[in-house]
Amino acid sequence: MQETLFLKHRESENIKDYPFSALKKALAMEPAGVVAEIKKSGLKGRGGAGFPTGVKWELALQEEADQKYVICNGDEGEPGTFKDRYLLEGTPFKVLEGIIIAAYACGAEQGYIYIRGEYDGPIRIFKKVLESAREKGIIGPNVMGSGFSFDLYLVKGAGAYVCGDETSLINSIEGKRGKSRIKPPYPITKGLFDRPTIVNNVETLAAAAEIINQGAERYLSLGTEDSRGTKLVCLSGDVCNPGVYEVEFGQVTLQEIIYDLGKGIKNNRPLKFVVPGGISTQVLTEQEIDIPYTYEDIAEAGSGLGSGAVVVVADGHDLVDLMLNVSRFFMDETCGTCFPCREGNRQVYHMLKKVNGNLNEEKSRIIADIGKTIHLAARCGLGQTSLNFINSVLKKFENELIVRGDS
Amino acid sequence: MIKLTIDGINLEVEAGKTILEAASAAHIKIPTLCYEEGLTIYGGCRLCVVEVEGERLLQPACATEAKEGMVVKTNTPQVREVRKTLFELIVASHDISCQLNCLTCSKNGNCELREAAEIIGISEMRLLPIDKGYGEDWSSYSIVREPNKCITCGRCIRKCEETQGIGIFTMANRGPATIVTTYGDKGMGNVECTNCGQCILSCPTGALHEVYHYEKVWEVLNDPKKHVVVQTAPAVRVAISEPFGGDPGTIATGQLVSALRRLGFDRVFDTNFTADLTIVEEGTELIKRITKGGALPLLTSCSPGWIKFIEHFYPELLDNVSTCKSPQQMFGALAKSYYAEKNEISREDLVVVSVMPCTAKKFEAQRPEMAGDVDYVLTTRELAQMIKTAGIDMEKLEEGEYDQLMGTSSGAADIFGATGGVMEAALRTAYELITGQELGMLDFKEVRGLTGIKEAEIEIGDLKVKAAVAHGLGNVRHLMERIKAGEEFHFIELMACPGGCLGGGGQPSPTNQHVREKRMKGLYNIDSLKELRKSHQNPYITKVYEEYLGEPGSHKAHQLLHTEYTARGV
């Protein structure tokens, strides 16, 4: 079992050594041509929602406005996710290239890269990247002599998970409270400062640069029909070899990622469950993980590929404790705007905290009801998915949890 | 037009309308809490979620535009179930305790949470209430905040910011710690709050209410040593029957007087009387400023919310504000001098209570410039409470008459309660005082109605008076900016609340556009039915000048009826 290396590579720290070949190629094309190439590649957004990137760019290109913006979302907050950090630290020039290509393709002359505030290293690195790129004429007026002007600003996040949501992130850049906006209007038509805006994840933009570099055909030869190309998987938890792995969609199973790439469970303990896409996705049990690693297969199994965070949980942990931990996270991180998410996560946390070995059917049903309400009625993706972990644990380990209550 | 189906009903609505608006047109009631007509959509409470065919998740009716061919279901098992759970969550966060504090709540009669519970059909509460443990904010003379009851729907924030153009409130913190507060958590009394009370009208719960004076009023009414007189503002008479089930705009002047007498007030007077007096004083001031020079435009000074607004935001224009006290304070000053002397009542034993549609009047009454002339200010709501407590059947009361000398008023005084009314009253008087001729047509229609800013040019003899009227502080701010930009006017009427006093922050809930229109109609009806319709022709005004004040603008009038302002800044 090997990684498929499309994105992962070593980059020199010196901008002089980076060829910017994708950018050169893109600048020689018409913007519509760049969009067409990305659309053809079938690339989907890697932030978690999986929206087709080419479609997003096409819509943005069609928008007419005095100013458009491109935003690189580096507010990587989903627990268990660290691939954007890996890219920002290891291949910042490729990320930069992706941002400029996106801007060129959509006609945006200004851009922002929003990096999670705790990411000291990436922020430091990207600051330098911006300086050197400006010096070298990679950004600024007349990008690489192409006549296209583009400037990029770095914004440091202030620690709110919700700002990973694109509309909340836009509010945050505008200096407003980090809370989601009501959609429509979508950022594509009315985003940052009410102008058409595309927001793309770090990995998406890096992949876009590499697609332009190597061609959509190459990308199309990788993966499955619904999951094109490769994905950076953040493997963590009770595995022997945690880390960022690049896998080709459909070529490996979730099980293989854990047992081959990750070298299995620590101390050879049995597996309890896997969180296949970050803690806002449903857990999968040992019986459910012998499935190809693709968007469609994981969805079929009742969960989501999300951001690519695969968290492995071995047997032996206190399930209520784990749920309490996740619950605490969501309670703290809900923005507080919509009632189901704010009050639902608060109630669930307080209920779990008081469980004390007495998780009965009634409590479990109330949590399920709250979960359903949040899922169906919350205002943004954060809320809608905030109880996925807890409810799936409750459902899949119900006997164990309720038995534990009776004893 | 857009065609859609809601609950099987085929509908046609204008493009751009939301599902909520479409449903309302089809007479389908969808529960809401954070939605308020006229404010931006917040989409926070999610009580209005409905099923839309083809959508995986439920959609908020308030924030979802009706689309061609849409099939909406507002009453499905899923919607009902989600609403119930949501409601349980909301109530658990709302400081309902085993102390039954619903019963002691300011909104016990018209709580929107209770209404929502009724619509949703709540049968069980499975969640434990969460004690948020916040303190109350008593820093303001006018308004109290009880954050434990706040459900953070943000209506007060939006009302203050969008309608009133001020924005003293904000959301602070994150997640369940999210709280509505003032800048730096300083409290409403320590920020640029104008005390207008519009936030109280917006609050669906009892998290905001006026600083109550009614307990104090009961106290003085029960004290045999005290001689307690009461004055009633124009806008109260067309709203007081609402808490008793009456239609908004019902003219209940006579019942109001009777009820006050039954409550035990020694004299029942009318703020309208001093409204007439205001017109005579302010009219004189206007004529003087136009003919002899002085800061123009002259800005009215009746609305204490507006006064606090200009003191904070446009202190450089304070010279333009009429020095006339408001009718409430003119009444207080006259009661504690003229009335007290005439009836040989000592100042200590005389208590002046006013009934106002206003929360800012509570602040005004305690301003040091006002020397404690008015002791207690009751809102229309507080008075309704007292009438209920006393077991008085408001609807069945015989009509009473105001006491004299300060009980007679012109129709011009009644319309003080509506936006444009002060302007119209002033024009009626100014015309006759300047030209010496009788005004034929008394109605100045161009300054009536609920348009935010109204302008008129009125020919008075050789003079073309450029007048403007603004109500709602958002509109007021626009007009002030125009003045600062150099636009010229002679006379401007400004009212803090949308609709003028009839839409005041002390009026019964609900106060919305529909209700404002009806109350306005009531006030103009009173005016049109009166014989006496011009302030300067009020015989008792003539009498009070003859007996006590001398002439309009006299030294004594200035001592008693005029005041000064404080540049507060921001």
Side-chain angles (χ1 to χ4, degrees), chain A residues 177 331 334 339 342 377 379, chain B residues 42 44 46 126 152 173 175-176:
Chain A
R177 193 177 160 80
M331 179 177 82
T334 158
F339 294 18
R342 181 185 73 221
R379 202 177 128 115
Chain B
Y42 188 60
R46 317 304 278 185
R126 298 172 297 173
T152 58
N173 306 334

Side-chain angles (χ1 to χ4, degrees), chain A residues 159-160 177 179 331-334 336-340 342-343 346-347 366 369 372-373 375-379 384, chain B residues 42-46 57-58 78 81 85-86 90 92-93 126-128 130 151-152 171 173-176 178:
Chain A
R177 193 177 160 80
K179 66 168 193 185
M331 179 177 82
D332 286 344
E333 295 300 337
T334 158
T337 302
C338 84
F339 294 18
R342 181 185 73 221
E343 298 307 332
R346 161 152 64 184
Q347 278 291 344
I366 295 175
D369 283 354
K372 188 175 175 188
T373 298
H375 174 66
L376 287 169
R379 202 177 128 115
Q384 286 153 14
Chain B
Y42 188 60
C45 80
R46 317 304 278 185
L57 304 174
L58 299 179
Q78 187 168 261
E81 195 187 322
T85 309
L86 252 175
I90 294 168
S93 75
R126 298 172 297 173
L127 305 174
L128 289 175
I130 286 168
I151 56 169
T152 58
M171 291 273 187
N173 306 334
R174 195 170 75 191
T178 303

Side-chain angles (χ1 to χ4, degrees), chain A residues 164-182:
Chain A
D165 159 72
E166 58 179 9
T167 57
S168 308
L169 186 149
I170 287 170
N171 275 338
S172 173
I173 294 180
E174 287 184 8
K176 294 175 181 154
R177 193 177 160 80
K179 66 168 193 185
S180 66
R181 292 182 178 179
I182 293 170

Side-chain angles (χ1 to χ4, degrees), chain B residues 336-517:
Chain B
K336 293 227 167 142
S337 57
Y338 173 58
Y339 175 79
E341 287 167 29
K342 215 172 146 87
N343 294 282
E344 296 177 346
I345 305 164
S346 73
R347 198 177 160 97
E348 303 84 74
D349 291 336
L350 179 63
V351 180
V352 176
V353 175
S354 53
V355 185
M356 295 282 142
C358 183
T359 46
K361 289 283 173 195
K362 290 177 188 270
F363 174 84
E364 183 187 58
Q366 65 70 46
R367 288 177 73 112
E369 306 92 302
M370 301 304 175
D373 287 340
V374 173
D375 297 282
Y376 303 113
V377 179
L378 300 170
T379 60
T380 312
R381 292 187 294 264
E382 285 177 274
L383 177 63
Q385 180 58 60
M386 291 179 78
I387 295 172
K388 280 184 183 168
T389 303
I392 298 168
D393 188 345
M394 186 73 184
E395 284 189 307
K396 298 275 158 49
L397 275 182
E398 74 292 355
E399 290 188 38
E401 295 275 339
Y402 283 107
D403 289 305
Q404 294 303 351
L405 294 163
M406 299 191 281
T408 296
S409 63
S410 72
D414 288 290
I415 61 172
F416 257 60
T419 163
V422 176
M423 175 61 66
E424 184 166 343
L427 290 173
R428 289 179 190 175
T429 288
Y431 184 90
E432 298 201 351
L433 293 185
I434 292 172
T435 63
Q437 289 170 359
E438 200 182 319
L439 184 61
M441 185 60 201
L442 292 186
D443 295 354
F444 289 87
K445 292 253 162 74
E446 56 272 55
V447 294
R448 294 188 181 184
L450 288 171
T451 309
I453 296 175
K454 294 165 281 187
E455 292 169 58
E457 211 171 85
I458 290 111
E459 283 186 33
I460 302 181
D462 308 333
L463 207 68
K464 269 194 182 155
V465 176
K466 253 195 108 185
V469 173
H471 59 110
L473 290 171
N475 296 319
V476 166
R477 192 185 280 277
H478 283 300
L479 193 54
M480 297 307 283
E481 286 301 318
R482 284 170 57 184
I483 294 166
K484 277 184 77 176
E487 255 190 86
E488 287 183 358
F489 294 95
H490 292 102
F491 188 40
I492 300 181
E493 179 206 292
L494 303 125
M495 295 288 164
C497 292
C501 308
L502 56 85
Q507 293 282 62
S509 282
T511 292
N512 52 37
Q513 196 72 346
H514 169 72
V515 169
R516 283 189 282 262
E517 275 166 18

